[in-house]
Amino acid sequence: MTEVLIVKSQEEAGNLYAEAACRLIKANPYATLGLATGSTPHTAYQALAQKVRENHLDVSHVCGFALDEYVMSDLSHPQSYHSVIDREVVVPVGLDPNNIHVPNGAADDVPRACSEYDKAIADAGGIDIQILGIGTDGHIGFNEPGSSLTSPTRMKTLTEQTRVDNARFFDGDLNQVPSHCITQGVGTIMKARHLVLLAFGKSKAAAIAASVEGAVTSMCPASALQLHPHATVIVDEDAASQLSQVEYYKWVAQNKPQWQVL
Ligand SMILES: N[C@@H]1[C@@H](O)[C@H](O)[C@@H](COP(=O)(O)O)O[C@@H]1O
């Protein structure tokens, strides 16, 4: 089932994620986090870093798997997801870089790197909590519309829309945005035990409405969340603005039994 939480701010959304992640790490210091890039998870990582510090949480055994990576020869590029995950999550939260995995976008044998990535996730016992953003076309990770809903980690070709959306990270220059990526498949993502999808702003409203209330279809990869046993969609009012059941979602959130945490 998908739980929809409509929050007042990105900070509130970030706090909800961080509370769930900290609860998990307290219960299991060897927890495995699924990590996402993009601007959406910023507040979540900031809140997690703060809570880890305040609660003196030991995160030295926490493991992390990134969702995706560009296919690019220089993974030290500041916009490679290796660099982004390191800068925005590993360093501020204080994770051990040796426990953090990002698909090898510079691999000579890409199919092999993809199957080894899925195996590494399985060998780590699977992902406990996977944070997700969403593309304006409904993609999760880099699973563009048309991605099989049971897909494993594999190479994908980015759509023009995604490259245009991400050009802001490459000096606004579309030519610098890689055309291919390695991404956890929708099937890989669906194996995580808890999915937390965050979305903010009007530009995400159509994708959120299609994902939460539309048909389950490969043309909107995030709609697969409807089939997940524990998916939480946390949106601000703008991202919720095209949902038809807003009052109901708010009522459900306000009347949640105390034992039911995120
Ligand atoms: N691969 C990432 C996705 O994981 C992310 O969800 C999406 C949205 O990014 P933003 O959060 O910046 O809107 O961008 C990229 O395509």
Side-chain angles (χ1 to χ4, degrees):
M1 61 154 260
T2 307
E3 179 181 28
V4 180
L5 298 174
I6 300 168
V7 294
K8 298 227 165 339
S9 66
Q10 299 193 20
E11 285 66 32
E12 189 181 345
N15 267 323
L16 287 172
Y17 163 80
E19 276 166 18
C22 285
R23 203 178 311 116
L24 173 73
I25 296 166
K26 267 185 204 157
N28 174 17
Y30 289 81
T32 300
L33 305 179
L35 306 171
T37 54
S39 39
T40 303
H42 277 177
T43 54
Y45 297 142
Q46 280 168 357
L48 180 59
Q50 191 180 345
K51 285 189 197 304
V52 164
R53 265 195 315 274
E54 285 171 1
N55 294 295
H56 305 288
L57 269 187
D58 177 9
V59 291
S60 60
H61 301 296
V62 170
C63 191
F65 284 89
L67 276 176
D68 44 16
E69 176 58 288
Y70 294 112
V71 169
M72 59 197 325
S73 52
D74 179 13
L75 294 178
S76 66
H77 186 289
Q79 292 308 328
S80 78
Y81 287 173
H82 276 76
S83 303
V84 173
I85 291 285
D86 191 56
R87 192 168 61 233
E88 296 180 1
V89 195
V90 177
V91 172
V93 178
L95 300 174
D96 180 347
N98 296 315
N99 296 338
I100 306 304
H101 308 259
V102 181
N104 183 1
D108 289 331
D109 186 343
V110 169
R112 186 171 168 179
C114 293
S115 53
E116 284 177 355
Y117 200 68
D118 277 341
K119 184 169 183 308
I121 295 173
D123 288 350
I127 289 168
D128 290 303
I129 180 167
Q130 173 67 59
I131 190 168
L132 294 167
I134 187 169
T136 51
D137 57 4
H139 74 245
I140 45 175
F142 265 137
N143 292 283
E144 299 285 26
S147 294
S148 159
L149 300 185
T150 58
S151 46
T153 296
R154 71 226 180 285
M155 192 180 83
K156 289 291 286 181
T157 309
L158 300 178
T159 61
E160 176 85 356
Q161 179 66 56
T162 297
R163 293 183 66 237
V164 168
D165 286 346
N166 287 3
R168 68 190 194 279
F169 297 114
F170 293 85
D171 306 323
D173 178 4
L174 191 57
N175 293 321
Q176 286 186 46
V177 185
S179 51
H180 292 82
C181 64
I182 294 177
T183 181
Q184 282 189 33
V186 182
T188 314
I189 294 169
M190 290 289 284
K191 286 183 190 156
R193 285 179 272 282
H194 183 192
L195 301 179
V196 179
L197 186 146
L198 308 178
F200 310 122
K202 283 246 189 280
S203 68
K204 301 293 173 75
I208 285 298
S211 307
V212 174
E213 296 178 345
V216 174
T217 166
S218 64
M219 292 311 288
C220 178
S223 65
L225 267 68
Q226 294 178 36
L227 303 176
H228 194 279
H230 190 188
T232 310
V233 173
I234 309 178
V235 286
D236 64 5
E237 298 273 357
D238 282 343
S241 59
Q242 290 188 32
L243 289 169
S244 65
Q245 304 294 317
V246 166
E247 292 315 315
Y248 176 67
Y249 302 136
K250 288 185 176 172
W251 190 88
V252 171
Q254 278 157 13
N255 291 281
K256 218 164 138 165
Q258 266 184 350
W259 49 262
Q260 195 184 24
V261 290
L262 189 67

